[in-house]
Amino acid sequence: MENTSTPTHCPYCALQCGMNITPLPQGGVEVTERADFPVNRGALCGKGRTAAEVLSPAVRLTTPLVREGGRLVEASWPEALDRIAGRLAATRERYGPDAVSVFGGGGLTNEKAYALGKFARVVLGTSQIDYNGRFCMSSAAAAGTKAFGLDRGLPFPLEDIPRTGCVILVGSNLAETMPPSLRFFTELRENGGTLIVVDPRRTRTAEQADLHLSPRPGTDLALALGLLHLVVAEGRTDEEYIRERTTGWEEARAAAMAHWPEYVERITGVPVPLLREAVRMFCEPEAAMVLTARGPEQQSKGTDTVGAWINLCLATGRAGRPLSGYGCLTGQGNGQGGREHGQKADQLPGYRKLDDPAARRHVAGVWGVDPDSLPGPGRSAYELLDALGGDVRALLLMGSNPVVSAPRAAHIEGRLRSLDFLAVADVVLSETAELADVVLPVTQWAEETGTTTSLEGRVLLRRRAVAPPPGVHSDLYVLHELAGRLGVEKGFPTDPEEVFGELRRASAGGPADYSGITYRRLAEENGVFWPCPEEPAGTTQADGGEPAGTAEADGGEPDRGALPGDAAGAGAAPPAVAHPGTPRLFLDRFATPDGRARFVAVAHRATAEEPDAEYPLLLTTGRVVAQYQSGAQTRRVAELNAAAPGPFVELHPRLAARLGAADGDPLAVVSRRGRAVAPARITDTIRPDTVFMPFHWPGEGRANTLTNPALDPTSRMPEFKSCAVRVEVVPRS
């Protein structure tokens, strides 16, 4: 019998590239290109192409594990679930609900993220829930919400990039982090547009740029302010746009004018002529964009830094206009949807705020609970991890590996070890799972159906293509079983489409409104951009764009049917005309009460930890093309390990000469938080005052042993991208 291919999406980054999965007669599956998905148009990076290798029982968990006598041993599902429920209940009974905590992940589907947030608040009654997406784009989210009233990573589809005039790409090495997206920037240049890349390193992405600005790590805020100063001084502001579509300009302009070019050159190391050239390239075309990534965002002033880049867009009339705007390149596979539906400490589904009484009433009504029973906002990700073993005594963790990914990682590993009880649900036995009292093997991308939301705000349907190994269950099953054992018999279904139906109702009327989206629409239309409410097209304030069909295959007008639960009177019948979704935001108005974008007056300030005599260099961290995030999955793929077998320390030849280091020599990088050792990689593509380490590996080469947990006051983002270090040559034994 002929095998049937299933169209689905990659399990890794926020591009969510389309792919086909085909079971093979001899066992296993084959991943092939899918040309009909507009984001990757058939292209796959090495991680996506080899993703099926992690489905193998040889590299993943297939049975629950419980700790006995200091060792993890195999157990049955009832035994493992009983142990988790019993320990969570006992901890809550003895110490109170906030002694129990939950930590999620930006790779969980929307259904899982939604159910996890509901489980924490309804079943456990705890405020102590956050997720690793806090370490991704929380600063961009905070700045976007301040400026526009709404956070969606990209307010326009990727297909708009080749048609704009100039893109400033700040702190992104997308040639390695999301390679299929590079074609949009290549097409931009082929069409006569220009690309400016801001990065302390001359990365593979920077090599594609028309102009590369190489600021000192942690000075992106000063750079953006210096560019805005020049925009004003050279008379390049769009006064009519500022007058009609913004507020707060006078204060923001005054703040920028304090950052004159020579001052900014001293701070950043970027020469004044290059600043002037960047302004010319950005302002001369009719349309332009600024896109940020983790470089400017993972700072203790990340929200202000992104705000300064948004100010540059607003001052030049480059937001809320066709082929223009500010956007953020989300990192994790469901980094966008993962924070919209309730696993973030301060949010309820639909991107509602947990401290908003109206939001609490709406979501509590969908959940069938008293609004007053819902706990308030809890700690942010790092603060929650730092509290483990103190007043937080037990943790349920899903889809995250903070032993490798958290800042000040040795300290966080110690906090995890100090817990009374740790339960982990994961695909593989990660470094964090190795510390757990109970480990549950759960399904992954090709073995389950569910939705994710890409960096464009496009809600997508991942489809189940193969059965999981015997003994492996979904995270939804885990939450259903735990809820029942903890006394909540209803409200946690295992069917993802049923969960999504409830999510639709919970999000209805919220900033991230999914109520007009169904699984059938997602399958027929190749995804739908939110907001997509249950009203006919054109009635939502956020809608100002073209129909979603401009970016997707024409699937005809779907019969969306009723929301699950409507037969019982939970909601009205849907309208005859489906809302098309909103690929382009803000073209008519911004999502603020008065429809105007907000300038925010910001000023440069130093990083939380500047170099000194003891620690004279700056460390910055990032990714390499063959590994992903903490590496828990990609480090189990032979082809990827062959391409990127381990950590390294990238440094400039002048620094290497000063240290007496040769290529490949073991180097110790030392910060105030610890020491990491990895081989030297000498290159002139990095600043002489900076060293770089990738963060995918545990052990002595763990980059996050060194990083600084200093937090942005608004987003609570740690300062991953800059800390003071010294480098020492390690004598070979």
Side-chain angles (χ1 to χ4, degrees):
M1 184 168 62
E2 185 177 344
N3 291 318
T4 303
S5 293
T6 301
T8 189
H9 295 273
C10 180
Y12 293 117
C13 83
L15 287 181
Q16 288 296 281
C17 292
M19 57 172 55
N20 291 311
I21 301 293
T22 307
L24 298 174
Q26 66 271 27
V29 301
E30 180 183 35
V31 172
T32 55
E33 296 81 3
R34 183 178 149 204
D36 70 321
F37 189 59
V39 169
N40 62 309
R41 290 178 270 170
L44 291 173
C45 74
K47 295 186 290 292
R49 188 169 39 77
T50 61
E53 295 196 24
V54 187
L55 297 171
S56 169
V59 300
R60 47 96 61 88
L61 293 164
T62 57
T63 188
L65 304 172
V66 299
R67 191 165 296 279
E68 296 287 356
R71 296 188 307 113
L72 287 172
V73 299
E74 293 186 357
S76 68
W77 271 93
E79 179 186 357
L81 291 166
D82 286 346
R83 187 173 297 198
I84 295 172
R87 294 296 299 272
L88 294 179
T91 302
R92 186 178 58 180
E93 177 68 23
R94 181 173 181 183
Y95 299 106
D98 277 355
V100 177
S101 61
V102 176
F103 199 84
L108 300 179
T109 63
N110 290 318
E111 292 81 0
K112 294 177 185 178
Y114 172 85
L116 189 63
K118 181 181 179 182
F119 178 84
R121 295 176 176 109
V122 172
V123 178
L124 299 177
T126 182
S127 67
Q128 301 303 299
I129 174 172
D130 210 71
Y131 82 125
N132 63 16
R134 177 79 70 169
F135 301 155
C136 180
M137 56 175 293
S138 57
S139 293
T145 301
K146 280 184 179 182
F148 307 129
L150 181 70
D151 157 49
R152 195 180 84 184
L154 291 182
F156 41 74
L158 284 163
E159 66 176 18
D160 284 0
I161 290 172
R163 299 189 291 151
T164 192
C166 177
V167 174
I168 301 180
L169 186 62
V170 189
S172 171
N173 183 15
L174 52 82
E176 298 204 46
T177 59
M178 44 182 67
S181 70
L182 188 62
R183 67 173 56 189
F184 294 102
F185 298 88
T186 302
E187 291 170 10
L188 164 73
R189 299 182 70 209
E190 290 172 350
N191 292 341
T194 55
L195 175 63
I196 302 169
V197 171
V198 179
D199 198 302
R201 304 162 63 221
R202 193 172 73 248
T203 62
R204 288 174 56 192
T205 306
E207 288 174 351
Q208 307 299 313
D210 299 280
L211 178 65
H212 174 214
L213 307 181
S214 177
R216 184 172 173 268
T219 63
D220 309 86
L221 175 53
L223 178 63
L225 288 163
L227 295 179
L228 183 53
H229 177 111
L230 286 170
V231 165
V232 175
E234 296 177 6
R236 296 181 183 270
T237 56
D238 188 330
E239 295 297 326
E240 181 181 2
Y241 174 94
I242 292 170
R243 185 170 57 254
E244 294 182 356
R245 298 204 62 186
T246 72
T247 62
W249 170 232
E250 294 301 324
E251 295 83 357
R253 179 175 61 185
M257 296 314 287
H259 297 76
W260 59 95
E262 292 75 14
Y263 172 57
V264 169
E265 178 179 324
R266 289 200 301 273
I267 294 170
T268 66
V270 178
V272 172
L274 295 187
L275 298 176
R276 295 188 184 278
E277 178 64 5
V279 167
R280 183 195 66 78
M281 291 170 61
F282 184 68
C283 292
E284 284 188 352
E286 183 177 346
M289 300 173 178
V290 172
L291 304 177
T292 66
R294 306 301 80 76
E297 297 163 15
Q298 288 181 327
Q299 298 184 26
S300 60
K301 53 182 181 295
T303 302
D304 284 356
T305 301
V306 174
W309 289 104
I310 291 175
N311 285 350
L312 181 65
C313 290
L314 295 177
T316 54
R318 306 304 176 87
R321 283 180 168 171
L323 307 180
S324 287
Y326 163 77
C328 166
L329 298 175
T330 309
Q332 294 193 76
N334 198 31
Q336 181 69 52
R339 70 181 182 281
E340 294 169 2
H341 298 300
Q343 65 172 334
K344 192 163 175 276
D346 58 349
Q347 286 176 353
L348 288 169
Y351 229 146
R352 289 180 160 91
K353 299 297 290 182
L354 189 54
D355 56 4
D356 176 0
R360 294 170 67 88
R361 285 194 301 272
H362 174 84
V363 174
V366 174
W367 288 350
V369 300
D370 183 344
D372 292 338
S373 71
L374 299 178
R379 294 178 172 97
S380 72
Y382 180 79
E383 292 165 305
L384 174 55
L385 294 171
D386 188 42
L388 300 179
D391 60 350
V392 178
R393 313 296 292 256
L395 172 64
L396 171 64
L397 184 145
M398 286 184 166
S400 187
N401 189 17
V403 166
V404 178
S405 63
R408 197 185 175 197
H411 170 73
I412 295 305
E413 181 178 345
R415 302 321 303 155
L416 286 159
R417 292 180 182 277
S418 72
L419 281 165
D420 293 348
F421 181 74
L422 171 62
V424 173
D426 209 334
V427 172
V428 298
L429 189 65
S430 70
E431 288 73 22
T432 303
E434 289 176 352
L435 306 181
D437 298 287
V438 180
V439 183
L440 300 177
V442 291
T443 52
Q444 52 180 308
W445 61 290
E447 301 163 347
E448 60 188 12
T449 294
T451 62
T452 62
T453 306
S454 75
L455 78 171
E456 302 175 295
R458 189 195 305 251
V459 185
L460 301 164
L461 182 63
R462 284 187 189 165
R463 298 165 175 88
R464 174 175 163 138
V466 295
V472 174
H473 292 294
S474 75
D475 300 88
L476 295 179
Y477 171 86
V478 170
L479 295 175
H480 170 84
E481 292 292 319
L482 290 177
R485 284 167 168 78
L486 292 165
V488 180
E489 300 292 339
K490 296 181 179 180
F492 291 88
T494 59
D495 176 16
E497 190 167 9
E498 187 176 348
V499 177
F500 189 74
E502 184 178 300
L503 181 158
R504 293 171 59 203
R505 295 202 305 276
S507 74
D513 190 334
Y514 284 32
S515 61
I517 303 174
T518 64
Y519 274 26
R520 179 171 178 177
R521 285 194 68 181
L522 295 177
E524 292 180 343
E525 301 176 34
N526 234 344
V528 177
F529 291 83
W530 71 259
C532 183
E534 272 283 304
E535 298 95 22
T539 62
T540 175
Q541 286 187 349
D543 186 15
E546 300 167 19
T550 60
E552 297 138 1
D554 182 9
E557 184 176 309
D559 177 12
R560 288 159 53 248
L563 288 169
D566 279 353
V577 179
H579 189 287
T582 315
R584 296 171 182 86
L585 295 168
F586 313 139
L587 295 185
D588 294 329
R589 57 180 284 124
F590 294 97
T592 56
D594 62 3
R596 292 170 174 263
R598 307 282 195 257
F599 281 99
V600 179
V602 293
H604 169 72
R605 60 183 185 274
T607 58
E609 188 176 76
E610 289 288 302
D612 57 19
E614 188 176 2
Y615 302 97
L617 301 168
L618 286 169
L619 168 72
T620 192
T621 64
R623 286 168 48 188
V624 296
V625 67
Q627 300 289 353
Y628 181 72
Q629 304 299 72
S630 75
Q633 295 184 43
T634 51
R635 285 187 275 111
R636 287 165 167 81
V637 178
E639 179 180 329
L640 300 179
N641 277 337
F648 56 86
V649 181
E650 189 176 280
L651 71 165
H652 192 275
R654 292 212 301 267
L655 175 59
R658 196 161 72 241
L659 295 170
D663 209 60
D665 282 351
L667 297 180
V669 183
V670 185
S671 78
R672 289 178 173 86
R673 288 153 296 283
R675 181 177 187 265
V677 177
R681 182 174 294 183
I682 300 171
T683 174
D684 64 0
T685 61
I686 192 168
R687 293 173 55 94
D689 58 2
T690 301
V691 294
F692 167 83
M693 290 186 71
F695 55 69
H696 309 290
W697 288 274
E700 71 169 4
R702 180 174 58 187
N704 277 319
T705 296
L706 308 167
T707 49
N708 191 353
L711 301 180
D712 179 285
T714 302
S715 68
R716 315 308 289 167
M717 168 72 83
E719 192 150 61
F720 287 99
K721 282 295 183 272
S722 178
C723 70
V725 297
R726 67 173 180 268
V727 178
E728 303 164 347
V729 177
V730 178
R732 292 182 183 268
S733 56

